[in-house]
């Protein structure tokens, strides 16, 4: 593992250019609108999160699995490997890399089967269709794609340092940590260094108005002033941050404010789309439009290969 982020494979190989990412995605956008693709990102991140929680994994393991998932589909179309197979494969690999301990084969398959049946039956009416040999083969493709660049830096550690430096750990950290978790439903982990994401979430409260309704983040209209505050449930946190004067704190860091604002815009867009996203009503239709894997030429269409179509696909 590199001693610092700037010497790591994460920075040198896996901070991608936004235009290149969009170019690679065009194959899928022939079948899906940009909004539908965003919703797929949210949905499969939710699947990985649910699977990780079912297995009682640490949040960092779940975050690493999510980054692996996004890295694969940043380079390949959704039709290359069924995302329903890729999700548990990423969890399986991340649990080993993050030294959580190897999740047993039986436990992983049982967890995937249970999560799809109990949490996502509205999208996957059939049982989890894959076996452990599929996951092991898929893991090989994933390792090959990432060139064995397995160490992932996350915003959690710098976030903790920032809120401690601001002297607001108790008040800011829970909400900021939650926003960091939400950023994995976007492309931010592929485009920006984690310390920038941490900076945004630690003072996101100064730039946007977030209203938590039914335990869900909703973006409302921003105020006209340069330093914004949070309404209702988050009002006290915002007042504490404003007394700290986070703008001066930012100036002392000499960060690229244009990039910080870009990240903020992505987070606000996420919450705006998430607010209007009814998974149970929409996902079945979106998944039916998603490009599906096809059996390779000269291969039995009933083969156990993980490259065949997933649940609900037309062979």
């Amino acid at each position: 593992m590199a001693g610092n982020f700037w010497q790591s494979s994460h920075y040198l190989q896996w901070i991608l250019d936004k235009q290149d990412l969009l170019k690679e995605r065009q194959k899928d956008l022939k079948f899906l609108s940009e909004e539908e693709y965003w919703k797929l990102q949210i949905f499969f991140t939710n699947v990985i999160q649910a699977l990780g929680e079912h297995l009682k994994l640490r949040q960092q393991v779940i975050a690493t699995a999510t980054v692996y998932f996004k890295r694969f589909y940043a380079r390949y179309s959704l039709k290359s490997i069924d995302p329903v197979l890729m999700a548990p494969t990423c969890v399986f690999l991340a649990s080993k890399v993050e030294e959580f301990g190897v999740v047993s084969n039986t436990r992983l398959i049982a967890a995937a089967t249970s999560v799809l049946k109990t949490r996502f039956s509205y999208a996957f009416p059939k049982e989890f269709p894959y076996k452990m040999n599929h996951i092991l083969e898929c893991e090989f493709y994933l390792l090959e794609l990432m060139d064995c660049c397995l160490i992932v830096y996350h915003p959690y550690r710098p976030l903790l340092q920032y809120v401690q430096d601001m002297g607001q750990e108790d008040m800011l950290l829970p909400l900021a940590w939650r926003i960091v978790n939400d950023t994995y439903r976007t492309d931010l982990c592929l485009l920006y260094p984690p310390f920038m994401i941490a900076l945004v979430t630690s003072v996101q409260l100064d730039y946007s108005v977030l209203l938590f309704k039914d335990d869900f983040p909703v973006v409302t209209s921003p105020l006209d002033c340069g330093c914004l505050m949070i309404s209702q449930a988050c009002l006290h946190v915002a007042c504490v941050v404003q007394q700290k004067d986070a703008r001066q704190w930012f100036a002392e860091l000499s960060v690229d404010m244009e990039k910080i604002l870009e990240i903020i815009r992505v987070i606000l867009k996420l919450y705006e789309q998430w607010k209007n996203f009814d998974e149970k009503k929409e996902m079945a239709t979106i998944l039916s439009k998603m490009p599906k894997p096809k059996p390779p030429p000269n291969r039995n269409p009933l083969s156990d290969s993980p490259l065949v179509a997933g649940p609900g696909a037309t062979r």
Side-chain angles (χ1 to χ4, degrees), residues 238-267:
C239 291
V240 172
V241 175
Q242 287 183 323
Q243 290 172 2
K244 177 66 178 178
D245 193 356
R247 289 173 296 179
Q248 179 61 33
W249 186 80
F250 253 94
E252 294 171 359
L253 292 176
S254 300
V255 295
D256 186 338
M257 285 304 300
E258 184 55 40
K259 288 187 177 180
I260 296 297
L261 292 173
E262 289 174 6
I263 296 171
I264 290 173
R265 284 192 286 268
V266 172
I267 294 174

Side-chain angles (χ1 to χ4, degrees), residues 45 49 59 63 156 176-185:
T45 302
Q49 182 72 36
Q59 185 59 39
Y156 300 114
W177 193 280
R178 186 174 180 176
I179 296 173
V180 166
N181 291 341
D182 291 343
T183 65
Y184 287 97
R185 291 167 172 81

Side-chain angles (χ1 to χ4, degrees), residues 82 84 123-127 129-130 284-293 308-315:
D82 186 358
V84 177
F124 304 109
K126 298 181 180 179
E127 289 193 358
Y130 298 109
T285 300
I286 295 174
L287 287 170
S288 70
K289 295 173 63 177
M290 184 182 76
K292 306 295 191 302
V308 300
T314 302
R315 294 189 181 278

Side-chain angles (χ1 to χ4, degrees), residues 89-134:
T89 301
C90 292
V91 170
F92 182 65
L93 179 58
S95 68
K96 293 183 285 185
V97 172
E98 295 290 350
E99 300 181 349
F100 179 83
V102 179
V103 177
S104 70
N105 298 356
T106 303
R107 189 168 166 234
L108 181 65
I109 297 299
T113 301
S114 176
V115 165
L116 290 190
K117 184 176 181 179
T118 59
R119 297 282 298 275
F120 302 101
S121 59
Y122 56 87
F124 304 109
K126 298 181 180 179
E127 289 193 358
F128 182 68
Y130 298 109
K131 301 176 182 178
M132 198 61 205
N133 63 302
H134 299 139

Side-chain angles (χ1 to χ4, degrees), residues 9 13-14 71 142-151:
S9 60
Q13 295 179 242
W14 285 103
R71 285 181 178 181
L142 179 61
L143 287 167
E144 184 178 45
L145 177 275
M146 293 196 297
D147 195 24
C148 293
C149 298
L150 303 179
I151 301 301

Side-chain angles (χ1 to χ4, degrees), residues 200-236:
V200 169
T201 58
S202 63
V203 292
Q204 169 84 11
L205 315 184
D206 280 340
Y207 285 89
S208 61
V209 179
L210 295 180
L211 171 63
F212 278 79
K213 181 179 180 181
D214 299 328
D215 201 37
F216 186 81
V218 177
V219 180
T220 62
S221 302
L223 303 180
D224 293 332
C225 54
C227 187
L228 306 177
M229 67 180 180
I230 293 205
S231 62
Q232 304 217 354
C234 304
L235 178 61
H236 182 58

